[in-house]
Amino acid sequence: DGSEFWLSTDENPANTVNIVGSIGNGSAKSTTAVALTQGQRYYMEALHKEGGGGDNLSLTMFVPSTPVTCSGENLPNEGAAKAFDNNSSTKWLVRTTNGWIQYMYAANVTKIVTTYTMVSANDSPARDPKNWRLFGVKADSTLDLLDTETGQTFASRFATNAYFFFNTNAYRGYRLQVDANSGDSLTQIG
């Protein structure tokens, strides 16, 4: 009696690594978390040796809900989470002239926000957001308009612009609705 779980670093079975090995005799075993990349394909293999009846293999995978959602993204390298990773050399890219990105706090956490920053991404200034609205997201998912910006520009690539607004309400999350970019068919935020 025994079980093993193997996980590949990609979709190739030749790259598998034993994550949970040689479990047997009714014992349960867990392993440390293994981070997987959204949009990436992986090969997984579970092996189970039946010894005398009544044996089983159960595998539980925990997929945390992402705090970031959006109208579109360019996976795997330019996904929505890149807009919130505190790394100005990464970016969120959507293949339209407009779009939205939303960040939600965990559980029932709410926060009062009165300032935010926007960072221009690495390449085309024409992809920079020009006109947008910032909304607070209530617990029932309805939106309150908090800030509107029009005609915005960035001094250079990787430039950070700060925006301030009056707000006394705590929200479950915040949504940025880009209404127009600076002329390209793609929109990006660093």
Side-chain angles (χ1 to χ4, degrees), residues 137-158:
V137 182
K138 296 180 183 179
D140 65 0
S141 297
T142 58
L143 305 175
D144 283 346
L145 180 62
L146 301 174
D147 185 46
T148 301
E149 300 292 336
T150 58
Q152 297 299 300
T153 60
F154 294 86
S156 62
R157 301 297 82 215
F158 305 110

Side-chain angles (χ1 to χ4, degrees), residues 65-190:
S65 61
T66 178
V68 183
T69 56
C70 62
S71 59
E73 56 193 342
N74 188 35
L75 293 174
N77 297 324
E78 298 167 333
K82 302 289 186 180
F84 300 98
D85 66 1
N86 291 320
N87 182 348
S88 63
S89 67
T90 64
K91 67 182 176 186
W92 166 58
L93 183 135
V94 61
R95 297 186 165 281
T96 60
T97 59
N98 57 32
W100 60 266
I101 187 167
Q102 179 172 292
Y103 187 91
M104 296 296 288
Y105 300 110
N108 290 319
V109 174
T110 60
K111 296 194 180 201
I112 298 172
V113 171
T114 59
T115 185
Y116 63 100
T117 58
M118 297 279 282
V119 178
S120 60
N122 63 323
D123 46 19
S124 174
R127 295 178 182 174
D128 292 343
K130 183 170 93 173
N131 303 334
W132 65 81
R133 293 170 287 155
L134 180 72
F135 296 91
V137 182
K138 296 180 183 179
D140 65 0
S141 297
T142 58
L143 305 175
D144 283 346
L145 180 62
L146 301 174
D147 185 46
T148 301
E149 300 292 336
T150 58
Q152 297 299 300
T153 60
F154 294 86
S156 62
R157 301 297 82 215
F158 305 110
T160 301
N161 292 358
Y163 299 91
F164 305 89
F165 58 96
F166 180 78
N167 175 36
T168 57
N169 295 322
Y171 291 96
R172 286 274 300 114
Y174 292 86
R175 177 184 286 206
L176 179 75
Q177 170 67 53
V178 177
D179 296 314
N181 68 12
S182 297
D184 199 289
S185 61
L186 308 173
T187 302
Q188 64 188 16
I189 298 173

